[in-house]
Amino acid sequence: MHDGSLRALEFDRIVEAVRSLALTPLGAAALGDLAPQTDARAVRTALAATTEGVEFLESHDLPLAGPDDLEESLGALAIEGRLLEPRQLRGLATFLASVDAVRAAVRQADADAFPALRTLVEGCRSFEREGAEILATIDEQGEVVDRASPELRAIRERLRKQRQRLRNTLASFLRGRDTARYLQEQVVTERDGRFVLLVRSEHRGSIPGIVHGSSGSGASLFLEPLSTVEINNDIVALEQDETNEIRRILLALANGLRRRGLDLRRTVSAAAELDVIQARARFSRLVDGVEPALAPDSRIELPAARHPLLIPAVRARAGNGNEASANPGEAAGPVPVDIELAPPTAALVVTGPNTGGKTVALKTTGLLILMAQAGLHVPAASGARVGVFQSVFADIGDDQSIANSLSTFSGHIAHIVEMEERLLLPALVLLDEVGAGTDPTEGGALGAAIIERFRCRGALVAATTHDDLLKSYASTTDGVTCAGFGFDPDTYAPTYHLAYGVPGRSLAFEIASRLGLPEAVIEDARDRRSAREAQLAEHLERTARALEELEAARAEVAAERKRLSAEDARLAAARREVDERQAELRKQLKQGVAAEIEAARREVGTIVAGLRARAADLARQGGRRPPGRPRLSTGDTGGLKREATDALAAVSERRGGDPGPRAGAPEGERPPAPPTPPAAPPGVGNRVTVESLGMEGRVMAIHGRKAEVEVRGKRLRVGFADVRILADAPPAATGGGVTLDVRGADDTPAELNVIGCRVDEALSRVDKYLDQAIVSEQRQVRVIHGHGTGQLRKAIAGLLDGHPMVSTFAAAAPEHGGGGVTVIELRDSDEGGNPP
């Protein structure tokens, strides 16, 4: 980077402001060398570290501290055998303790959130033992305490006794009548490290002793009485012993640090870098800065950019500088300006009225680029994006520059020649009032040629001008754009708003008039313009008005878009709230249903357990039947099924559900709604339905709680729970007689085809088919199940194997279906039914 350009852009003042935020002399020294870097990776690393520092300081403290003479103390420590003063050692201990505190604070934070800080503190080493020893040896006043060593304690104890003895002896001279009259003053003073009396010169021989000099007037002598010479000698010797012991203690403390020289150097280096990061982070908070994204190409996108030296808090820390760079009326802070210079545009020509902000915009552009490449956040809005430049040049020669730059035409040309010779790409070239200082026509042409030269060489160029030729060049050349600063149409006061695409008017006449130049002079100047110049000025004025109208329309659109965005956000929030409420209701409903299912499951479990107990009782009763009779009759089986169906239906009704299909019914077949249970048991002659068989019959007799029902010519004895009186049944017979059933029985087919059925469906159909076959007095039936995987055949065989009405079963003959058909032999009705 060019040193003259750094000064012209006042980068040194930014360095001074950041340096003032250092917590230790080490950090301040490192920040004094802060400079823009040209390696993109190094810039990215530095910016990321600054961002980490900002985020860390938002929620944590970084208690780094160090004395002003820290660098001097470290330098003395680097010299073997060099003694450090007590205050220097205590300052080192305080500094090392603060590093330990920072190390602990960073370690307690999230390691993933602060990788750079974590890496730095891992390079630090703890000096807790050495620091504690120093702080225990040296007090806050910088004195070595008595407990520093047994020898020091003993020496000081003897010193105190000897000094007390000396004070008592000298006090006797002050109080004695024979000696007090020889004293000039009743005081004890010190001369050359020895305690003496102030004796009048004329009484020199009145008190025996050693004279250590006289006063300026010669009227008084400094006399050491002979009786105190030996005591003074002891005190001097003890003081020397004390000094030697203190030196030994201090040297031991310093050597304790020297023995860990490598650890100390690493810790000091890491602490300095930590201080640099926190200073950059605090500066970012000072300017409300953002981390700019680094673009892979040469571009500058700085929305709402502000010149940092126009921020009062920064200006207070930046030292003395030329405050003329501040725009009028900007004492409270800079006005943001959008700066954009990105491909395919490679050159920007900024125009506008005097004091309109052109030079400040130019300086802001260059300064923010330098800050970003130095690892500093920039005062701009989010979305800032810049490239990394190998060289940045600035030729700013007006009275707003802090540097003593040249202001003559030859000086400008000398700067431009130097830029041409030292240009390294990617490069940024900033030219203030390019082509000024000479003939306007030639200067405008030369300015356009200079911009074109740098643009063709691949540099980004930003220039300011009032020249009409340069405005025309910027408006008509591909890759070059113009932008103008606006002004208030009523007062012609600058607005500091930069509008792209339209060159701004210089407003020389208007501003001169506002500043008090006579109107006659202004009119004379207007008349002296050429027709072309007048037409251009009128065109620029019309363009400015059109731009204002466009900006107003754009502002309305932006406001409407903002309103719609807010409305969308409100609707989205309402939609999220509705979704959350629906999810909560579904969750509550699901929990309620789950609870109901669990309760029903427990009830069903209780019913099943009861049915199993009933079945076991019936089985035990059936075991006492004569041989050849089944353990469970068809009526018993039907009764159990009916009880199970009724119990499950009751559970379903209580739980508000559907009892579902009757056990044993084919899938999809729903039984008709059961009739209302009778108020009285069935009587002889009632037409009823046997629920377990799904068949109709007539009650022929009553035996206790069982009814003897004739179904298709067969009489069955079933419990009252298994029969339902049909709604159209005739009233029960009240007298004797014979009732004839003239309806014919439906013929049960000799075979059942269950191919294509699921296992549970096939078993249900086979079970019902067997009941119908027994009632129809069939002795042999066939079940066609096909070959398939054999699962259906095995399941049917399992059902038949324990069925009370099945005598035998086997596969059909090959010519009659083979393994795809099962032939079933049924028991005789006298064997399988209930006794009459």
Side-chain angles (χ1 to χ4, degrees):
M1 293 296 174
H2 186 236
D3 291 340
S5 298
L6 295 180
R7 289 192 299 271
L9 295 171
E10 302 176 284
F11 181 73
D12 54 333
R13 295 186 63 198
I14 296 297
V15 171
E16 184 61 30
V18 179
R19 188 173 180 272
S20 70
L21 296 170
L23 299 176
T24 67
L26 299 175
L31 288 167
D33 297 329
L34 186 66
Q37 303 180 73
T38 56
D39 179 70
R41 181 177 299 178
V43 173
R44 185 174 290 106
T45 300
L47 287 172
T50 302
T51 301
E52 276 191 34
V54 172
E55 294 173 353
F56 186 84
L57 291 178
E58 287 178 353
S59 54
H60 302 80
D61 289 330
L62 206 150
L64 197 62
D68 293 338
D69 61 348
L70 180 59
E71 289 183 289
E72 180 183 347
S73 300
L74 290 170
L77 201 62
I79 302 174
E80 193 67 31
R82 177 78 174 269
L83 193 70
L84 273 74
E85 296 297 326
R87 288 187 179 276
Q88 289 180 309
L89 284 169
R90 188 173 177 89
L92 278 174
T94 302
F95 165 70
L96 294 173
S98 73
V99 175
D100 280 345
V102 171
R103 183 165 170 255
V106 174
R107 281 185 167 183
Q108 290 174 359
D110 185 2
D112 295 334
F114 308 108
L117 296 179
R118 191 63 176 261
T119 300
L120 280 175
V121 300
E122 291 303 327
C124 299
R125 296 294 180 266
S126 177
F127 288 82
E128 184 177 0
R129 182 178 60 81
E130 291 83 359
E133 186 177 0
I134 291 173
L135 295 177
T137 301
I138 304 170
D139 62 18
E140 294 181 356
Q141 288 71 39
E143 298 293 334
V144 179
V145 297
D146 293 355
R147 62 178 179 275
S149 72
E151 293 81 2
L152 183 61
R153 181 184 294 107
I155 291 171
R156 286 181 171 174
E157 184 63 29
R158 289 165 56 193
L159 260 175
R160 281 190 287 270
K161 291 179 180 179
Q162 288 296 85
R163 285 170 177 163
Q164 185 60 42
R165 181 183 172 192
L166 178 61
R167 281 193 294 269
N168 293 339
T169 302
L170 291 174
S172 65
F173 284 95
L174 298 177
R175 294 193 302 267
R177 288 184 299 175
D178 295 337
T179 57
R181 64 176 180 268
Y182 304 131
L183 301 179
Q184 185 72 28
E185 295 181 20
Q186 297 291 318
V187 296
V188 176
T189 186
E190 186 179 359
R191 190 75 171 181
D192 298 330
R194 304 179 75 86
F195 292 95
V196 296
L197 298 173
L198 203 60
V199 180
R200 293 189 181 96
S201 298
E202 60 269 22
H203 299 297
R204 177 174 183 174
S206 300
I207 299 177
I210 301 173
V211 176
H212 288 279
S214 62
S215 63
S217 63
S220 302
L221 300 176
F222 298 104
L223 178 69
E224 180 184 6
L226 290 178
S227 58
T228 64
V229 171
E230 191 63 31
I231 301 174
N232 265 323
N233 288 341
D234 288 344
I235 291 174
V236 171
L238 288 171
E239 288 176 341
Q240 185 61 44
D241 292 343
E242 179 188 29
T243 300
N244 293 338
E245 179 62 15
I246 289 174
R247 289 177 61 85
R248 186 194 68 78
I249 292 171
L250 295 179
L251 188 59
L253 294 174
N255 288 337
L257 295 174
R258 287 191 180 102
R259 282 191 292 271
R260 299 184 59 191
L262 181 59
D263 288 345
L264 184 62
R265 286 192 294 273
R266 290 177 176 174
T267 301
V268 168
S269 176
E273 184 61 26
L274 284 168
D275 199 5
V276 168
I277 291 175
Q278 73 81 28
R280 296 201 307 246
R282 290 174 62 194
F283 181 81
S284 175
R285 299 171 70 178
L286 201 67
V287 301
D288 192 20
V290 298
E291 177 185 351
L294 296 186
D297 56 0
S298 298
R299 68 173 57 235
I300 299 173
E301 296 172 358
L302 295 170
R306 292 163 290 129
H307 196 297
L309 292 176
L310 300 183
I311 299 174
V314 177
R315 195 158 56 230
R317 291 179 173 271
N320 294 326
N322 183 8
E323 302 302 336
S325 62
N327 288 335
E330 290 190 354
V335 176
V337 59
D338 295 330
I339 299 172
E340 183 175 354
L341 183 53
T345 300
L348 173 66
V349 176
V350 181
T351 62
N354 291 311
T355 69
K358 298 188 302 299
T359 302
V360 172
L362 205 65
K363 286 186 172 182
T364 301
T365 303
L367 186 54
L368 266 55
I369 293 297
L370 297 177
M371 288 171 56
Q373 294 189 206
L376 297 172
H377 286 182
V378 297
S382 59
R385 194 161 178 251
V386 297
V388 177
F389 297 92
Q390 293 294 314
S391 54
V392 175
F393 293 101
D395 178 43
I396 301 176
D398 62 1
D399 59 356
Q400 293 180 338
S401 174
I402 188 174
N404 294 323
S405 57
L406 297 174
S407 56
T408 62
F409 176 76
S410 59
H412 286 302
I413 296 302
H415 286 169
I416 292 169
V417 169
E418 186 178 10
M419 295 177 192
E420 169 76 14
E421 293 174 349
R422 301 178 58 179
L423 190 72
L424 293 176
L425 297 179
L428 173 64
V429 177
L430 306 173
L431 303 171
D432 189 33
E433 298 296 343
V434 59
T438 186
D439 178 81
T441 302
E442 295 180 356
L446 187 60
I450 291 172
I451 294 174
E452 188 68 13
R453 171 65 176 177
F454 284 120
R455 186 177 74 87
C456 291
R457 288 196 59 183
L460 282 188
V461 184
T464 65
T465 187
H466 289 283
D467 192 276
D468 289 343
L469 192 152
L470 276 170
K471 294 177 184 179
S472 299
Y473 160 77
S475 301
T476 58
T477 304
D478 292 337
V480 183
T481 190
C482 58
F485 275 96
F487 57 91
D488 187 298
D490 297 326
T491 64
Y492 297 107
T495 62
Y496 308 112
H497 174 69
L498 188 62
Y500 286 82
V502 177
R505 296 173 58 197
S506 296
L507 299 178
F509 296 156
E510 291 81 356
I511 292 176
S513 176
R514 186 164 61 92
L515 294 177
L517 195 66
E519 190 62 30
V521 176
I522 302 297
E523 289 300 323
D524 185 27
R526 292 183 190 275
D527 294 338
R528 291 178 182 275
R529 291 181 302 173
S530 66
R532 186 187 66 83
E533 291 170 343
Q535 290 174 355
L536 180 59
E538 183 180 354
H539 170 71
L540 290 177
E541 186 175 357
R542 287 197 304 269
T543 303
R545 284 197 300 269
L547 181 61
E548 289 174 3
E549 294 174 358
L550 179 61
E551 286 297 322
R554 184 179 300 168
E556 291 179 4
V557 171
E560 181 65 15
R561 183 177 298 153
K562 184 178 180 180
R563 187 189 66 79
L564 292 176
S565 298
E567 183 67 17
D568 288 344
R570 187 186 65 80
L571 292 176
R575 189 180 301 112
R576 285 195 299 271
E577 183 178 355
V578 171
D579 292 342
E580 290 172 0
R581 288 181 179 177
Q582 289 180 345
E584 182 64 23
L585 290 175
R586 283 195 295 268
K587 181 180 178 182
Q588 294 176 0
L589 180 60
K590 184 177 180 180
Q591 291 174 346
V593 171
E596 288 290 328
I597 291 174
E598 183 60 28
R601 185 179 290 114
R602 288 195 295 270
E603 289 192 40
V604 171
T606 303
I607 293 170
V608 170
L611 291 174
R612 286 177 177 170
R614 283 286 313 279
D617 290 341
L618 292 174
R620 285 194 297 272
Q621 294 174 10
R624 294 194 291 270
R625 293 179 180 178
R629 299 291 295 247
R631 300 181 65 183
L632 291 177
S633 68
T634 303
D636 294 333
T637 305
L640 289 174
K641 290 182 178 179
R642 181 65 256 166
E643 290 181 24
T645 301
D646 290 344
L648 293 176
V651 172
S652 178
E653 289 174 1
R654 283 197 303 275
R655 299 296 169 187
D658 185 357
R662 186 179 67 254
E667 182 179 353
E669 179 185 330
R670 307 290 297 187
T676 304
V684 176
N686 284 135
R687 194 159 58 86
V688 297
T689 298
V690 180
E691 294 293 334
S692 60
L693 297 178
M695 297 181 178
E696 294 182 6
R698 190 172 300 277
V699 178
M700 306 305 296
I702 300 297
H703 302 281
R705 297 293 298 171
K706 292 187 177 182
E708 187 174 326
V709 183
E710 184 180 275
V711 178
R712 296 183 183 179
K714 300 291 291 184
R715 290 193 177 190
L716 305 174
R717 188 174 294 180
V718 295
F720 285 172
D722 196 25
V723 298
R724 292 288 183 270
I725 300 174
L726 295 178
D728 59 346
T734 59
V738 178
T739 302
L740 298 179
D741 184 7
V742 298
R743 293 175 301 157
D746 295 336
D747 292 334
T748 300
E751 63 182 18
L752 174 67
N753 190 337
V754 295
I755 295 176
C757 296
R758 296 193 301 273
V759 171
D760 55 349
E761 179 185 358
L763 293 180
S764 176
R765 295 182 61 186
V766 170
D767 189 36
K768 185 175 181 180
Y769 174 66
L770 292 178
D771 288 342
Q772 294 173 345
I774 291 170
V775 172
S776 300
E777 297 184 346
Q778 296 192 39
R779 296 297 304 275
Q780 187 183 76
V781 294
R782 290 159 42 94
V783 176
I784 303 172
H785 46 69
H787 294 278
T789 62
Q791 294 296 325
L792 196 57
R793 176 179 57 80
K794 292 179 182 178
I796 293 173
L799 172 67
L800 300 177
D801 190 32
H803 201 283
M805 298 306 297
V806 176
S807 176
T808 61
F809 65 91
E815 63 273 16
H816 294 139
V821 178
T822 297
V823 179
I824 306 169
E825 294 287 341
L826 300 175
R827 295 181 185 275
D828 184 68
S829 59
D830 293 335
E831 300 175 1
N834 291 316

